[in-house]
Amino acid sequence: MTVTESGGRAAITQSGVRMADVSGVDLDLPMPWAPIKVSRNEIDALVDRLSDGPAPANGRRAAMLIHPESTHRGFAPGIDVAVEVLLPGEQTQRIRRNSTQVHIGIRGNGSVSADGVDFRLEEHDVCTIPSMKPFIFVNDSDERWVRLAYSNAPLLAQLGTHYFEAVSAQWIPTAPVDGPIDMDEPVAVAAGTAPDHVVSPEGARLRGYEYLVDIEPIPDRPLHWPHNATSALMSQTPGDGERTIMALYNPSTRRKQGATSSFFVTLSQIPPGHTPHPEGRGHRHSSVAINYHFEGSGYSIVDGQRIDWEPGDLLLSAPSWREHAHYPSETGVSAYTVQDHPLHIGMESLVWQEKMDGPILALGTEAGQTGYVAPRNWDED
């Protein structure tokens, strides 16, 4: 039986495997989704809807924000965003999952307990929940607690590997990992039982399976970034010379510079009274960017499309490889941006073009973009 596919001839083999002839066909180019905005009013309506009725059995009142082009419940390819609500006195079931999470408090406050770490998540605070660490959210306040929850679950769903399980009070973890780790080789290697051979002058090696199943562990703990602390370290008045954009860094991600191994989170803080800059060309990158604006107003231009935003709006502002630029008004802006930047660094797929007439760089595998100072100011030489 013969079938037709775009870009080449195709056939179905006896085993049922499709085989496409792509001889002479160019490789795929980026096919980014369209930018999309979810307004504060839409989010408020979701919160009201989620607040109605009895609590679900697992305690999780949540709504996924799904992009019209998504087939795996993502707000961006590989990233989901959920609005999660807990009413006073409610709590979620204690679970663990192999997707990593970023939570941003957007209304109220409550308690987070994850892997033995306890803290309070206030409005505009950020926290992370690492993969396979048991966690629970408890609303011990007298008002609704609302969070934006980001995870890499859609990517794992496409791989067929998203996993979760309920965790009972009797759950016993495996041997805890504390840091810093000084373990260059697995235990079997230290005992002299794991082979390791150099097979080429360029450095290729042949190693025993012990290296795969006894990997050097890196401590990855739940982390909390209180907004009152992070905000105080950034620009407060126009022209004060302090940074207007900084990254929330988790040391376990090392050179990936992430808040988690999948997500890069930045806080942008441009104070009111700044002079809006004129429109110009933007930049683009293979990582996607999702902005949550909580102070100030302005607009973004994404591949020629203008999108206005104000406090409480959530925006897929940079679908992969679309040119984009942001223009805060004189009101300034405070916003969190979540990107799958570290994931791309790990896959060596982070492609970046800061100036549209400039070079296209493979960040992490070659010399990167230089000239970044505070506040953002590019050396034109």
Side-chain angles (χ1 to χ4, degrees):
M1 176 181 177
T2 301
V3 298
T4 301
E5 289 192 354
S6 176
R9 296 166 296 172
I12 298 179
T13 67
Q14 186 175 1
S15 64
V17 173
R18 289 189 302 155
M19 184 170 60
D21 182 355
V22 294
S23 305
V25 176
D26 289 336
L27 297 177
D28 292 336
L29 291 172
M31 296 184 294
W33 292 0
I36 195 166
K37 183 182 79 172
V38 181
S39 71
R40 178 191 179 105
N41 288 340
E42 292 175 293
I43 293 175
D44 286 347
L46 279 176
V47 170
D48 289 341
R49 181 176 179 180
L50 290 170
S51 300
D52 292 339
N58 64 5
R60 186 181 184 223
R61 299 177 185 262
M64 305 296 297
L65 303 177
I66 303 173
H67 194 284
E69 298 177 56
S70 174
T71 59
H72 285 83
R73 298 199 306 181
F75 189 68
I79 306 174
D80 63 24
V81 183
V83 178
E84 300 203 355
V85 177
L86 278 178
L87 303 184
E90 294 183 342
Q91 65 181 46
T92 61
Q93 181 184 35
R94 188 175 183 231
I95 67 169
R96 63 176 187 157
R97 48 192 274 193
N98 68 338
S99 45
T100 61
Q101 303 170 70
V102 170
H103 287 254
I104 300 174
I106 64 172
R107 312 271 196 285
N109 63 88
S111 298
V112 182
S113 179
D115 196 35
V117 177
D118 300 299
F119 52 85
R120 188 156 209 86
L121 194 76
E122 304 277 355
E123 187 175 11
H124 303 153
D125 286 5
V126 176
C127 76
T128 56
I129 308 294
S131 170
M132 297 303 285
K133 305 297 186 184
F135 66 93
I136 186 171
F137 295 97
V138 179
N139 186 349
D140 51 7
S141 74
D142 57 2
E143 59 180 331
R144 287 189 299 194
W145 185 23
V146 185
R147 304 180 312 280
L148 291 178
Y150 306 72
S151 88
N152 60 342
L155 173 61
L156 297 181
Q158 292 184 63
L159 297 175
T161 58
H162 193 220
Y163 174 83
F164 90 98
E165 64 180 2
V167 178
S168 70
Q170 290 73 42
W171 180 80
I172 300 175
T174 56
V177 174
D178 204 357
I181 292 295
D182 183 12
M183 181 180 165
D184 293 332
E185 297 178 329
V187 174
V189 177
T193 61
D196 182 15
H197 307 289
V198 177
V199 297
S200 81
E202 293 79 20
R205 307 176 81 94
L206 185 69
R207 283 185 158 185
Y209 202 69
E210 295 90 334
Y211 285 92
L212 304 181
V213 296
D214 191 12
I215 304 167
E216 174 193 356
I218 298 174
D220 188 8
R221 299 180 179 86
L223 295 181
H224 174 216
W225 288 268
H227 179 250
N228 61 0
T230 56
S231 175
L233 297 171
M234 300 182 65
S235 181
Q236 306 297 313
T237 59
D240 62 10
E242 296 299 323
R243 294 270 173 159
T244 56
I245 181 169
M246 293 186 76
L248 281 57
Y249 178 60
N250 176 347
S252 75
T253 67
R254 298 183 174 178
R255 63 183 289 275
K256 294 180 183 178
Q257 307 300 323
T260 78
S261 56
S262 289
F263 296 133
F264 176 86
V265 182
T266 57
L267 171 61
S268 296
Q269 183 169 297
I270 299 176
H274 89 109
T275 301
H277 58 277
E279 291 184 10
R281 295 301 303 270
H283 74 167
R284 59 182 180 174
H285 36 73
S286 54
S287 56
V288 303
I290 303 171
N291 292 357
Y292 174 67
H293 306 92
F294 55 94
E295 291 178 0
S297 62
Y299 65 96
S300 299
I301 295 181
V302 186
D303 268 359
Q305 177 184 350
R306 174 169 169 154
I307 304 172
D308 293 274
W309 39 260
E310 58 186 11
D313 290 350
L314 182 76
L315 172 64
L316 175 58
S317 64
S320 177
W321 211 235
R322 286 191 186 272
E323 180 182 349
H324 57 280
H326 309 300
Y327 301 97
S329 72
E330 66 279 354
T331 64
V333 64
S334 289
Y336 284 115
T337 301
V338 176
Q339 295 180 251
D340 54 354
H341 198 95
L343 176 67
H344 280 283
I345 293 175
M347 296 191 299
E348 298 186 355
S349 57
L350 184 55
V351 182
W352 193 282
Q353 188 174 28
E354 185 57 39
K355 296 181 179 181
M356 297 305 294
D357 59 354
I360 295 174
L361 303 176
L363 297 191
T365 61
E366 64 182 19
Q369 180 65 55
T370 59
Y372 221 105
V373 296
R376 183 175 178 177
N377 179 29
W378 291 100
D379 184 353
E380 299 295 338
D381 294 337

